[in-house]
Amino acid sequence: MGFWVFIIVLVISFLLDKILNKLLGIEKRKISETSGRKIDRWGRGIILVIFLCTLPFVVTQDTNVMKWYWILYIIVLLGFQSILEWKYLKDSKQHVTTLIYLLLSVIIMYNIDCFL
């Protein structure tokens, strides 16, 4: 059952991306095509290293701590991406879709116990 829930979430995510981009009139662009390329790369690398270094301490805790660990990771990563999109993609509203994905991802991760 978990596999089918995963497939359904992926399909809904893909459709939501298309619908939001169509409604907001967003043309997808990458931060790596702007002057924020190095900041994006370094920021993602630092976030990844910090979360990988703290992972062994979280794994030894109970599942509730692990759930909040992943929620924090999603918030930091998608929040950072949204800020960079807002700063470097000025004429685009792409950061709005990232914030919507942030909100939906946190809601799904918080209620992950219902799906398992």
Side-chain angles (χ1 to χ4, degrees), residues 2-16:
F3 174 74
W4 291 110
V5 171
F6 178 72
I7 296 297
I8 290 170
V9 168
L10 282 179
V11 169
I12 290 173
S13 173
F14 178 75
L15 292 175
L16 182 66

Side-chain angles (χ1 to χ4, degrees), residues 53-96:
C53 288
T54 57
L55 185 61
F57 301 108
V58 176
V59 170
T60 59
Q61 305 297 320
D62 62 345
T63 57
N64 194 30
V65 174
M66 182 64 101
K67 177 172 77 170
W68 284 104
Y69 174 80
W70 288 113
I71 289 174
L72 181 64
Y73 181 68
I74 289 170
I75 290 172
V76 170
L77 192 63
L78 290 179
F80 178 71
Q81 180 179 346
S82 179
I83 289 170
L84 288 182
E85 287 173 353
W86 172 75
K87 182 170 175 72
Y88 291 105
L89 303 176
K90 290 281 188 192
D91 56 340
S92 176
K93 293 181 182 178
Q94 192 169 332
H95 64 280
V96 175

Side-chain angles (χ1 to χ4, degrees), residues 40-53:
D40 181 43
R41 225 182 280 158
W42 275 95
R44 288 176 187 268
I46 290 170
I47 291 169
L48 178 67
V49 167
I50 290 171
F51 275 88
L52 285 178
C53 288

